[in-house]
């Protein structure tokens, strides 16, 4: 009985090892409106949240009430997300927003927090990294759409992966030329780099199971029958 549980135990250990090498979940993008939450900026915030929910490599806040609180919409005083509404009201589209955004990130598990602020020529997007406590990307856009994930958020993730390019916590809004240089999308891992742990596990699993059955067959076929004949026995 003990020998027959060996392959199952070995396979469980192998699968656990492969899970350790699997890709981590994509970062959750939380979008908040700073300053006066007018309808145009609110709509832009929802557009960006919806794009993150449907774009590979990102996640979005799933709870509609939490998203509404971050957009500055009215919520009940006894709402479970009243603390998010309070934190949002302190946002000014400045570096000092980091304290309030740390609260938001801790509450919702945000990997990146984007603040949107109305500007005379459009909307200012500022990206805060609550892991590194930096502002790795900023961009003023005439129109906010799903492509902002590529032009603004992907460079922010690239900055996290390459610490030498990170902005300092007190960094101000980057110039347009710097922003254009940072629009290249973050490199993605190849399909093989994601699949190789499972290929290795499959090969080793087959070897374990094969060795088990070979050993079991060998033990069965190696039994020797001994017949004892006593002298004088009929």
């Amino acid at each position: 009985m003990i020998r027959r549980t060996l392959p199952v135990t070995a396979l469980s250990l192998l699968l656990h090892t492969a899970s350790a090498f699997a890709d981590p979940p994509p970062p959750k993008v939380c979008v908040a409106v700073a300053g006066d939450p007018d309808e145009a900026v609110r709509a832009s915030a929802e557009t960006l949240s919806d794009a993150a929910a449907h774009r590979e490599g990102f996640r979005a806040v799933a709870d509609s009430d939490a998203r509404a609180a971050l957009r500055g919409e009215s919520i009940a005083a006894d709402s479970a997300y009243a603390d998010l509404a309070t934190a949002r009201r302190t946002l000014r589209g400045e570096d000092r927003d980091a304290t309030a955004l740390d609260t938001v990130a801790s509450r919702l598990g945000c990997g990146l927090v984007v603040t949107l602020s109305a500007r005379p020529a459009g909307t200012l997007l500022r990206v805060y990294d609550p892991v590194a406590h930096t502002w790795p990307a900023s961009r003023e856009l005439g129109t906010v759409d799903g492509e902002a994930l590529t032009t603004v958020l992907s460079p922010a993730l690239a900055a996290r992966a390459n610490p030498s390019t990170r902005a300092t916590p007190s960094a101000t809004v980057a110039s347009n030329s710097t922003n254009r240089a940072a629009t290249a999308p973050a490199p993605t891992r190849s399909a093989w780099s994601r699949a190789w742990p499972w290929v290795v596990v499959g090969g080793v699993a087959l070897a374990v199971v094969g060795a088990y059955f070979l050993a079991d067959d060998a033990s069965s076929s190696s039994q020797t029958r001994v017949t004892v004949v006593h002298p004088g026995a009929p």
Side-chain angles (χ1 to χ4, degrees):
M1 181 64 66
I2 295 177
R3 285 194 305 111
R4 291 192 179 279
T5 61
L6 178 60
V8 177
T9 303
L11 288 175
S12 297
L13 291 173
L14 289 170
L15 291 174
H16 179 74
T17 301
S19 297
F21 285 97
D23 290 338
K28 179 184 286 187
V29 178
C30 301
V31 184
V33 174
D36 180 27
D38 61 64
E39 289 304 319
V41 181
R42 284 177 179 169
S44 296
E46 185 59 14
T47 295
L48 196 58
S49 293
D50 189 63
H54 295 89
R55 180 75 64 87
E56 182 179 2
F58 296 100
R59 290 181 297 154
V61 177
D63 192 284
S64 59
D65 290 339
R67 286 162 67 154
L70 293 179
R71 290 196 304 269
E73 296 183 5
S74 298
I75 61 173
D78 59 350
S79 168
Y81 299 106
D83 57 328
L84 295 182
T86 299
R88 192 219 64 79
R89 280 193 289 268
T90 67
L91 300 178
R92 296 294 180 267
E94 302 171 352
D95 288 349
R96 60 179 176 174
D97 291 343
T99 300
L101 296 182
D102 282 335
T103 299
V104 172
S106 177
R107 178 79 159 82
L108 299 178
C110 314
L112 292 173
V113 186
V114 183
T115 63
L116 281 70
S117 309
R119 291 292 186 269
T123 304
L124 174 65
L125 274 69
R126 305 189 79 228
V127 182
Y128 178 65
D129 185 338
V131 177
H133 300 288
T134 58
W135 297 90
S138 296
R139 176 69 69 86
E140 187 169 326
L141 301 174
T143 302
V144 177
D145 55 25
E147 287 307 307
L149 295 176
T150 300
T151 59
V152 183
L153 270 70
S154 290
L157 291 177
R160 178 188 295 178
N162 185 6
S164 64
T165 64
R166 285 180 184 167
T168 61
S170 60
T172 56
V173 177
S175 66
N176 288 335
S177 60
T178 301
N179 284 328
R180 284 194 296 270
T183 57
T188 58
R189 297 177 62 184
S190 67
W192 170 247
S193 67
R194 295 192 297 268
W196 75 262
W198 299 103
V199 174
V200 173
V201 167
V204 175
L206 288 175
V208 170
V209 173
Y212 167 75
F213 283 109
L214 286 175
D216 187 65
D217 183 65
S219 64
S220 300
S221 61
S222 63
Q223 293 179 355
T224 304
R225 189 176 220 178
V226 178
T227 303
V228 179
V229 180
H230 294 281

